[in-house]
mmCIF file of all heavy atoms in Angstrom:
data_model
loop_
_atom_site.group_PDB
_atom_site.id
_atom_site.type_symbol
_atom_site.label_atom_id
_atom_site.label_comp_id
_atom_site.label_asym_id
_atom_site.label_seq_id
_atom_site.Cartn_x
_atom_site.Cartn_y
_atom_site.Cartn_z
ATOM 1 N N PRO A 1 92.133 100.593 77.296
ATOM 2 C CA PRO A 1 91.901 101.851 78.009
ATOM 3 C C PRO A 1 90.890 101.736 79.144
ATOM 4 O O PRO A 1 91.073 102.325 80.203
ATOM 5 C CB PRO A 1 91.421 102.807 76.918
ATOM 6 C CG PRO A 1 90.947 101.924 75.814
ATOM 7 C CD PRO A 1 91.814 100.710 75.864
ATOM 8 N N ALA A 2 89.818 100.978 78.926
ATOM 9 C CA ALA A 2 88.819 100.843 79.982
ATOM 10 C C ALA A 2 89.409 100.148 81.203
ATOM 11 O O ALA A 2 89.165 100.537 82.349
ATOM 12 C CB ALA A 2 87.604 100.074 79.461
ATOM 13 N N GLU A 3 90.215 99.087 80.959
ATOM 14 C CA GLU A 3 90.861 98.386 82.070
ATOM 15 C C GLU A 3 91.861 99.296 82.787
ATOM 16 O O GLU A 3 91.971 99.269 84.014
ATOM 17 C CB GLU A 3 91.581 97.136 81.551
ATOM 18 C CG GLU A 3 90.655 96.046 81.035
ATOM 19 C CD GLU A 3 90.306 96.224 79.571
ATOM 20 O OE1 GLU A 3 90.613 97.297 79.002
ATOM 21 O OE2 GLU A 3 89.715 95.295 79.001
ATOM 22 N N THR A 4 92.571 100.100 82.000
ATOM 23 C CA THR A 4 93.533 101.026 82.604
ATOM 24 C C THR A 4 92.830 102.023 83.513
ATOM 25 O O THR A 4 93.248 102.267 84.649
ATOM 26 C CB THR A 4 94.312 101.780 81.508
ATOM 27 O OG1 THR A 4 95.093 100.850 80.751
ATOM 28 C CG2 THR A 4 95.230 102.829 82.107
ATOM 29 N N LEU A 5 91.732 102.602 83.046
ATOM 30 C CA LEU A 5 90.997 103.571 83.852
ATOM 31 C C LEU A 5 90.407 102.926 85.103
ATOM 32 O O LEU A 5 90.355 103.546 86.166
ATOM 33 C CB LEU A 5 89.899 104.218 83.011
ATOM 34 C CG LEU A 5 90.396 105.145 81.895
ATOM 35 C CD1 LEU A 5 89.254 105.561 80.989
ATOM 36 C CD2 LEU A 5 91.077 106.373 82.484
ATOM 37 N N ALA A 6 89.955 101.679 84.971
ATOM 38 C CA ALA A 6 89.422 100.977 86.137
ATOM 39 C C ALA A 6 90.505 100.776 87.187
ATOM 40 O O ALA A 6 90.272 100.923 88.391
ATOM 41 C CB ALA A 6 88.830 99.631 85.710
ATOM 42 N N ARG A 7 91.711 100.431 86.746
ATOM 43 C CA ARG A 7 92.813 100.263 87.687
ATOM 44 C C ARG A 7 93.181 101.585 88.355
ATOM 45 O O ARG A 7 93.446 101.630 89.554
ATOM 46 C CB ARG A 7 94.029 99.692 86.957
ATOM 47 C CG ARG A 7 93.853 98.261 86.486
ATOM 48 C CD ARG A 7 95.124 97.761 85.791
ATOM 49 N NE ARG A 7 94.960 96.395 85.281
ATOM 50 C CZ ARG A 7 95.923 95.712 84.674
ATOM 51 N NH1 ARG A 7 97.123 96.272 84.491
ATOM 52 N NH2 ARG A 7 95.699 94.485 84.261
ATOM 53 N N VAL A 8 93.203 102.645 87.570
ATOM 54 C CA VAL A 8 93.511 103.969 88.133
ATOM 55 C C VAL A 8 92.534 104.316 89.243
ATOM 56 O O VAL A 8 92.917 104.824 90.306
ATOM 57 C CB VAL A 8 93.480 105.036 87.018
ATOM 58 C CG1 VAL A 8 93.444 106.441 87.619
ATOM 59 C CG2 VAL A 8 94.680 104.888 86.092
ATOM 60 N N CYS A 9 91.269 104.023 89.004
ATOM 61 C CA CYS A 9 90.225 104.441 89.953
ATOM 62 C C CYS A 9 90.080 103.511 91.147
ATOM 63 O O CYS A 9 89.752 103.966 92.249
ATOM 64 C CB CYS A 9 88.877 104.539 89.232
ATOM 65 S SG CYS A 9 88.806 105.828 87.978
ATOM 66 N N HIS A 10 90.344 102.208 90.954
ATOM 67 C CA HIS A 10 89.931 101.251 91.978
ATOM 68 C C HIS A 10 91.013 100.302 92.488
ATOM 69 O O HIS A 10 90.832 99.704 93.549
ATOM 70 C CB HIS A 10 88.763 100.407 91.448
ATOM 71 C CG HIS A 10 87.607 101.222 90.955
ATOM 72 N ND1 HIS A 10 86.886 102.066 91.775
ATOM 73 C CD2 HIS A 10 87.062 101.340 89.706
ATOM 74 C CE1 HIS A 10 85.934 102.664 91.062
ATOM 75 N NE2 HIS A 10 86.021 102.242 89.811
ATOM 76 N N GLU A 11 92.103 100.125 91.768
ATOM 77 C CA GLU A 11 93.098 99.137 92.173
ATOM 78 C C GLU A 11 94.354 99.807 92.721
ATOM 79 O O GLU A 11 94.834 100.795 92.169
ATOM 80 C CB GLU A 11 93.481 98.238 90.982
ATOM 81 C CG GLU A 11 92.352 97.349 90.499
ATOM 82 C CD GLU A 11 92.820 96.372 89.436
ATOM 83 O OE1 GLU A 11 94.051 96.172 89.312
ATOM 84 O OE2 GLU A 11 91.959 95.826 88.725
ATOM 85 N N ALA A 12 94.873 99.248 93.803
ATOM 86 C CA ALA A 12 96.123 99.753 94.372
ATOM 87 C C ALA A 12 97.300 99.301 93.511
ATOM 88 O O ALA A 12 97.294 98.186 92.972
ATOM 89 C CB ALA A 12 96.299 99.247 95.797
ATOM 90 N N HIS A 13 98.277 100.157 93.391
ATOM 91 C CA HIS A 13 99.487 99.809 92.639
ATOM 92 C C HIS A 13 100.422 98.966 93.510
ATOM 93 O O HIS A 13 100.327 98.985 94.739
ATOM 94 C CB HIS A 13 100.209 101.081 92.198
ATOM 95 C CG HIS A 13 100.776 101.867 93.339
ATOM 96 N ND1 HIS A 13 99.991 102.695 94.131
ATOM 97 C CD2 HIS A 13 102.036 101.942 93.844
ATOM 98 C CE1 HIS A 13 100.753 103.243 95.071
ATOM 99 N NE2 HIS A 13 101.993 102.808 94.920
ATOM 100 N N HIS A 14 101.301 98.220 92.878
ATOM 101 C CA HIS A 14 102.353 97.541 93.630
ATOM 102 C C HIS A 14 103.349 98.600 94.088
ATOM 103 O O HIS A 14 103.792 99.431 93.291
ATOM 104 C CB HIS A 14 103.062 96.496 92.758
ATOM 105 C CG HIS A 14 102.190 95.344 92.380
ATOM 106 N ND1 HIS A 14 101.794 94.385 93.289
ATOM 107 C CD2 HIS A 14 101.637 95.001 91.192
ATOM 108 C CE1 HIS A 14 101.029 93.501 92.673
ATOM 109 N NE2 HIS A 14 100.923 93.844 91.410
ATOM 110 N N PRO A 15 103.727 98.607 95.358
ATOM 111 C CA PRO A 15 104.684 99.623 95.830
ATOM 112 C C PRO A 15 105.926 99.670 94.950
ATOM 113 O O PRO A 15 106.410 98.641 94.474
ATOM 114 C CB PRO A 15 105.011 99.160 97.250
ATOM 115 C CG PRO A 15 103.803 98.383 97.677
ATOM 116 C CD PRO A 15 103.308 97.698 96.436
ATOM 117 N N ALA A 16 106.425 100.875 94.734
ATOM 118 C CA ALA A 16 107.586 101.042 93.858
ATOM 119 C C ALA A 16 108.773 100.224 94.349
ATOM 120 O O ALA A 16 109.558 99.701 93.555
ATOM 121 C CB ALA A 16 107.952 102.523 93.771
ATOM 122 N N GLN A 17 108.903 100.088 95.652
ATOM 123 C CA GLN A 17 110.025 99.361 96.231
ATOM 124 C C GLN A 17 110.021 97.887 95.823
ATOM 125 O O GLN A 17 111.062 97.236 95.800
ATOM 126 C CB GLN A 17 109.990 99.473 97.752
ATOM 127 C CG GLN A 17 111.231 98.958 98.460
ATOM 128 C CD GLN A 17 112.425 99.871 98.265
ATOM 129 O OE1 GLN A 17 112.373 101.038 98.615
ATOM 130 N NE2 GLN A 17 113.507 99.340 97.717
ATOM 131 N N ASP A 18 108.854 97.360 95.455
ATOM 132 C CA ASP A 18 108.758 95.954 95.059
ATOM 133 C C ASP A 18 109.418 95.688 93.706
ATOM 134 O O ASP A 18 109.730 94.546 93.383
ATOM 135 C CB ASP A 18 107.291 95.521 94.986
ATOM 136 C CG ASP A 18 106.624 95.477 96.354
ATOM 137 O OD1 ASP A 18 107.347 95.617 97.356
ATOM 138 O OD2 ASP A 18 105.395 95.314 96.398
ATOM 139 N N HIS A 19 109.606 96.751 92.910
ATOM 140 C CA HIS A 19 110.088 96.573 91.544
ATOM 141 C C HIS A 19 111.561 96.935 91.377
ATOM 142 O O HIS A 19 112.162 96.564 90.381
ATOM 143 C CB HIS A 19 109.268 97.447 90.577
ATOM 144 C CG HIS A 19 107.842 97.033 90.463
ATOM 145 N ND1 HIS A 19 107.390 96.187 89.476
ATOM 146 C CD2 HIS A 19 106.761 97.346 91.216
ATOM 147 C CE1 HIS A 19 106.092 95.998 89.621
ATOM 148 N NE2 HIS A 19 105.680 96.687 90.663
ATOM 149 N N ALA A 20 112.116 97.696 92.272
ATOM 150 C CA ALA A 20 113.477 98.185 92.044
ATOM 151 C C ALA A 20 114.151 98.463 93.374
ATOM 152 O O ALA A 20 113.506 98.599 94.409
ATOM 153 C CB ALA A 20 113.446 99.457 91.190
ATOM 154 N N ASP A 21 115.457 98.555 93.308
ATOM 155 C CA ASP A 21 116.261 98.852 94.493
ATOM 156 C C ASP A 21 116.311 100.365 94.666
ATOM 157 O O ASP A 21 117.297 101.023 94.338
ATOM 158 C CB ASP A 21 117.663 98.263 94.323
ATOM 159 C CG ASP A 21 118.498 98.450 95.589
ATOM 160 O OD1 ASP A 21 117.904 98.694 96.653
ATOM 161 O OD2 ASP A 21 119.746 98.358 95.496
ATOM 162 N N LEU A 22 115.221 100.915 95.190
ATOM 163 C CA LEU A 22 115.102 102.367 95.322
ATOM 164 C C LEU A 22 115.376 102.801 96.753
ATOM 165 O O LEU A 22 115.109 102.057 97.706
ATOM 166 C CB LEU A 22 113.687 102.820 94.951
ATOM 167 C CG LEU A 22 113.226 102.590 93.513
ATOM 168 C CD1 LEU A 22 111.798 103.075 93.356
ATOM 169 C CD2 LEU A 22 114.144 103.305 92.540
ATOM 170 N N PRO A 23 115.874 104.032 96.928
ATOM 171 C CA PRO A 23 115.962 104.580 98.286
ATOM 172 C C PRO A 23 114.583 104.602 98.927
ATOM 173 O O PRO A 23 113.576 104.894 98.259
ATOM 174 C CB PRO A 23 116.500 106.000 98.052
ATOM 175 C CG PRO A 23 117.175 105.949 96.722
ATOM 176 C CD PRO A 23 116.411 104.950 95.912
ATOM 177 N N ARG A 24 114.516 104.283 100.196
ATOM 178 C CA ARG A 24 113.226 104.194 100.879
ATOM 179 C C ARG A 24 112.449 105.503 100.782
ATOM 180 O O ARG A 24 111.238 105.498 100.548
ATOM 181 C CB ARG A 24 113.451 103.831 102.352
ATOM 182 C CG ARG A 24 112.160 103.744 103.172
ATOM 183 C CD ARG A 24 112.458 103.433 104.623
ATOM 184 N NE ARG A 24 113.397 104.404 105.191
ATOM 185 C CZ ARG A 24 113.012 105.623 105.632
ATOM 186 N NH1 ARG A 24 111.740 105.985 105.573
ATOM 187 N NH2 ARG A 24 113.904 106.441 106.156
ATOM 188 N N GLN A 25 113.122 106.640 100.952
ATOM 189 C CA GLN A 25 112.420 107.919 100.916
ATOM 190 C C GLN A 25 111.783 108.169 99.556
ATOM 191 O O GLN A 25 110.654 108.665 99.474
ATOM 192 C CB GLN A 25 113.394 109.063 101.241
ATOM 193 C CG GLN A 25 113.832 109.125 102.691
ATOM 194 C CD GLN A 25 114.833 110.244 102.902
ATOM 195 O OE1 GLN A 25 115.889 110.303 102.275
ATOM 196 N NE2 GLN A 25 114.496 111.163 103.789
ATOM 197 N N LEU A 26 112.483 107.811 98.481
ATOM 198 C CA LEU A 26 111.929 108.009 97.140
ATOM 199 C C LEU A 26 110.734 107.099 96.912
ATOM 200 O O LEU A 26 109.695 107.529 96.389
ATOM 201 C CB LEU A 26 113.006 107.751 96.087
ATOM 202 C CG LEU A 26 112.556 107.844 94.626
ATOM 203 C CD1 LEU A 26 111.996 109.226 94.319
ATOM 204 C CD2 LEU A 26 113.700 107.498 93.682
ATOM 205 N N SER A 27 110.858 105.834 97.317
ATOM 206 C CA SER A 27 109.758 104.895 97.151
ATOM 207 C C SER A 27 108.516 105.357 97.916
ATOM 208 O O SER A 27 107.393 105.312 97.399
ATOM 209 C CB SER A 27 110.193 103.506 97.626
ATOM 210 O OG SER A 27 109.115 102.589 97.567
ATOM 211 N N GLU A 28 108.704 105.822 99.137
ATOM 212 C CA GLU A 28 107.574 106.280 99.940
ATOM 213 C C GLU A 28 106.923 107.524 99.342
ATOM 214 O O GLU A 28 105.700 107.674 99.385
ATOM 215 C CB GLU A 28 108.039 106.552 101.371
ATOM 216 C CG GLU A 28 108.410 105.279 102.139
ATOM 217 C CD GLU A 28 108.929 105.575 103.533
ATOM 218 O OE1 GLU A 28 109.151 106.777 103.836
ATOM 219 O OE2 GLU A 28 109.105 104.622 104.314
ATOM 220 N N LEU A 29 107.733 108.428 98.768
ATOM 221 C CA LEU A 29 107.171 109.625 98.143
ATOM 222 C C LEU A 29 106.341 109.249 96.929
ATOM 223 O O LEU A 29 105.230 109.767 96.739
ATOM 224 C CB LEU A 29 108.293 110.584 97.743
ATOM 225 C CG LEU A 29 107.859 111.842 96.989
ATOM 226 C CD1 LEU A 29 106.909 112.683 97.836
ATOM 227 C CD2 LEU A 29 109.075 112.662 96.568
ATOM 228 N N ILE A 30 106.837 108.341 96.101
ATOM 229 C CA ILE A 30 106.076 107.903 94.935
ATOM 230 C C ILE A 30 104.749 107.277 95.360
ATOM 231 O O ILE A 30 103.692 107.552 94.782
ATOM 232 C CB ILE A 30 106.906 106.905 94.099
ATOM 233 C CG1 ILE A 30 108.108 107.607 93.472
ATOM 234 C CG2 ILE A 30 106.042 106.261 93.016
ATOM 235 C CD1 ILE A 30 109.072 106.664 92.758
ATOM 236 N N ASP A 31 104.786 106.450 96.405
ATOM 237 C CA ASP A 31 103.557 105.815 96.877
ATOM 238 C C ASP A 31 102.554 106.848 97.388
ATOM 239 O O ASP A 31 101.343 106.703 97.179
ATOM 240 C CB ASP A 31 103.884 104.803 97.976
ATOM 241 C CG ASP A 31 104.641 103.593 97.445
ATOM 242 O OD1 ASP A 31 104.584 103.345 96.224
ATOM 243 O OD2 ASP A 31 105.293 102.894 98.247
ATOM 244 N N ARG A 32 103.041 107.900 98.045
ATOM 245 C CA ARG A 32 102.137 108.974 98.503
ATOM 246 C C ARG A 32 101.507 109.709 97.322
ATOM 247 O O ARG A 32 100.317 110.053 97.342
ATOM 248 C CB ARG A 32 102.896 109.987 99.359
ATOM 249 C CG ARG A 32 103.143 109.572 100.795
ATOM 250 C CD ARG A 32 103.733 110.749 101.560
ATOM 251 N NE ARG A 32 102.796 111.865 101.641
ATOM 252 C CZ ARG A 32 103.153 113.131 101.843
ATOM 253 N NH1 ARG A 32 104.440 113.444 101.955
ATOM 254 N NH2 ARG A 32 102.243 114.078 101.921
ATOM 255 N N LEU A 33 102.291 109.961 96.295
ATOM 256 C CA LEU A 33 101.762 110.655 95.123
ATOM 257 C C LEU A 33 100.672 109.842 94.438
ATOM 258 O O LEU A 33 99.767 110.408 93.810
ATOM 259 C CB LEU A 33 102.893 110.935 94.130
ATOM 260 C CG LEU A 33 103.938 111.969 94.561
ATOM 261 C CD1 LEU A 33 105.148 111.929 93.631
ATOM 262 C CD2 LEU A 33 103.338 113.368 94.586
ATOM 263 N N LEU A 34 100.722 108.517 94.558
ATOM 264 C CA LEU A 34 99.768 107.639 93.876
ATOM 265 C C LEU A 34 98.575 107.249 94.745
ATOM 266 O O LEU A 34 97.836 106.332 94.401
ATOM 267 C CB LEU A 34 100.496 106.379 93.393
ATOM 268 C CG LEU A 34 101.531 106.604 92.279
ATOM 269 C CD1 LEU A 34 102.232 105.305 91.926
ATOM 270 C CD2 LEU A 34 100.869 107.205 91.040
ATOM 271 N N GLU A 35 98.386 107.928 95.847
ATOM 272 C CA GLU A 35 97.201 107.666 96.678
ATOM 273 C C GLU A 35 95.929 108.014 95.895
ATOM 274 O O GLU A 35 95.878 109.004 95.165
ATOM 275 C CB GLU A 35 97.261 108.495 97.956
ATOM 276 C CG GLU A 35 98.313 108.029 98.953
ATOM 277 C CD GLU A 35 97.894 106.759 99.676
ATOM 278 O OE1 GLU A 35 96.730 106.338 99.507
ATOM 279 O OE2 GLU A 35 98.732 106.204 100.416
ATOM 280 N N LYS A 36 94.893 107.184 96.065
ATOM 281 C CA LYS A 36 93.639 107.408 95.342
ATOM 282 C C LYS A 36 92.935 108.690 95.785
ATOM 283 O O LYS A 36 92.373 109.411 94.971
ATOM 284 C CB LYS A 36 92.692 106.220 95.553
ATOM 285 C CG LYS A 36 93.241 104.870 95.119
ATOM 286 C CD LYS A 36 93.484 104.800 93.638
ATOM 287 C CE LYS A 36 93.891 103.386 93.235
ATOM 288 N NZ LYS A 36 94.341 103.318 91.824
ATOM 289 N N GLN A 37 92.982 108.976 97.080
ATOM 290 C CA GLN A 37 92.309 110.148 97.607
ATOM 291 C C GLN A 37 93.247 111.356 97.557
ATOM 292 O O GLN A 37 94.370 111.293 98.071
ATOM 293 C CB GLN A 37 91.840 109.906 99.042
ATOM 294 C CG GLN A 37 90.802 108.813 99.175
ATOM 295 C CD GLN A 37 89.540 109.116 98.379
ATOM 296 O OE1 GLN A 37 89.082 110.259 98.314
ATOM 297 N NE2 GLN A 37 88.970 108.081 97.768
ATOM 298 N N PRO A 38 92.825 112.465 96.962
ATOM 299 C CA PRO A 38 93.690 113.643 96.879
ATOM 300 C C PRO A 38 94.222 114.103 98.229
ATOM 301 O O PRO A 38 95.377 114.544 98.327
ATOM 302 C CB PRO A 38 92.778 114.699 96.245
ATOM 303 C CG PRO A 38 91.777 113.911 95.459
ATOM 304 C CD PRO A 38 91.547 112.661 96.257
ATOM 305 N N ASP A 39 93.407 113.988 99.282
ATOM 306 C CA ASP A 39 93.841 114.453 100.604
ATOM 307 C C ASP A 39 95.017 113.653 101.145
ATOM 308 O O ASP A 39 95.737 114.136 102.030
ATOM 309 C CB ASP A 39 92.673 114.383 101.603
ATOM 310 C CG ASP A 39 91.610 115.428 101.311
ATOM 311 O OD1 ASP A 39 91.908 116.372 100.551
ATOM 312 O OD2 ASP A 39 90.496 115.301 101.841
ATOM 313 N N ALA A 40 95.214 112.440 100.641
ATOM 314 C CA ALA A 40 96.315 111.605 101.116
ATOM 315 C C ALA A 40 97.624 111.898 100.396
ATOM 316 O O ALA A 40 98.678 111.421 100.813
ATOM 317 C CB ALA A 40 95.956 110.122 100.960
ATOM 318 N N ARG A 41 97.558 112.671 99.323
ATOM 319 C CA ARG A 41 98.770 113.043 98.588
ATOM 320 C C ARG A 41 99.388 114.291 99.213
ATOM 321 O O ARG A 41 98.753 114.951 100.049
ATOM 322 C CB ARG A 41 98.416 113.329 97.120
ATOM 323 C CG ARG A 41 97.783 112.170 96.387
ATOM 324 C CD ARG A 41 97.270 112.590 95.007
ATOM 325 N NE ARG A 41 96.168 111.708 94.595
ATOM 326 C CZ ARG A 41 95.188 112.068 93.772
ATOM 327 N NH1 ARG A 41 95.168 113.289 93.254
ATOM 328 N NH2 ARG A 41 94.213 111.209 93.482
ATOM 329 N N PRO A 42 100.620 114.640 98.809
ATOM 330 C CA PRO A 42 101.181 115.919 99.266
ATOM 331 C C PRO A 42 100.245 117.065 98.905
ATOM 332 O O PRO A 42 99.509 117.010 97.912
ATOM 333 C CB PRO A 42 102.507 116.006 98.493
ATOM 334 C CG PRO A 42 102.886 114.585 98.238
ATOM 335 C CD PRO A 42 101.585 113.857 98.009
ATOM 336 N N ALA A 43 100.279 118.113 99.699
ATOM 337 C CA ALA A 43 99.350 119.227 99.509
ATOM 338 C C ALA A 43 99.634 120.014 98.243
ATOM 339 O O ALA A 43 98.731 120.646 97.693
ATOM 340 C CB ALA A 43 99.399 120.152 100.723
ATOM 341 N N GLY A 44 100.877 119.992 97.785
ATOM 342 C CA GLY A 44 101.221 120.747 96.589
ATOM 343 C C GLY A 44 102.594 120.362 96.079
ATOM 344 O O GLY A 44 103.351 119.640 96.736
ATOM 345 N N ALA A 45 102.928 120.868 94.892
ATOM 346 C CA ALA A 45 104.217 120.535 94.287
ATOM 347 C C ALA A 45 105.378 121.080 95.094
ATOM 348 O O ALA A 45 106.460 120.479 95.126
ATOM 349 C CB ALA A 45 104.262 121.068 92.856
#
């Protein structure tokens, strides 16, 4: 759990597109949702 929380707070995720054959728009949306800074994510649901 401690390592997981450290990754959440400080480590960038591997882009979703690196793991699967996803549509570009979906991959980019997932990456935006996972931005560390709230201001970099979509403004709302």
Side-chain angles (χ1 to χ4, degrees):
E3 292 88 349
T4 296
L5 291 171
R7 292 181 182 182
V8 166
C9 295
H10 306 298
E11 293 187 17
H13 67 281
H14 293 289
Q17 190 72 58
D18 292 351
H19 294 266
D21 185 18
L22 296 179
R24 179 182 55 81
Q25 288 178 303
L26 177 59
S27 176
E28 291 177 351
L29 176 61
I30 293 173
D31 291 340
R32 281 188 64 203
L33 291 168
L34 293 177
E35 289 285 352
K36 302 296 186 189
Q37 296 300 321
D39 290 344
R41 301 171 206 152

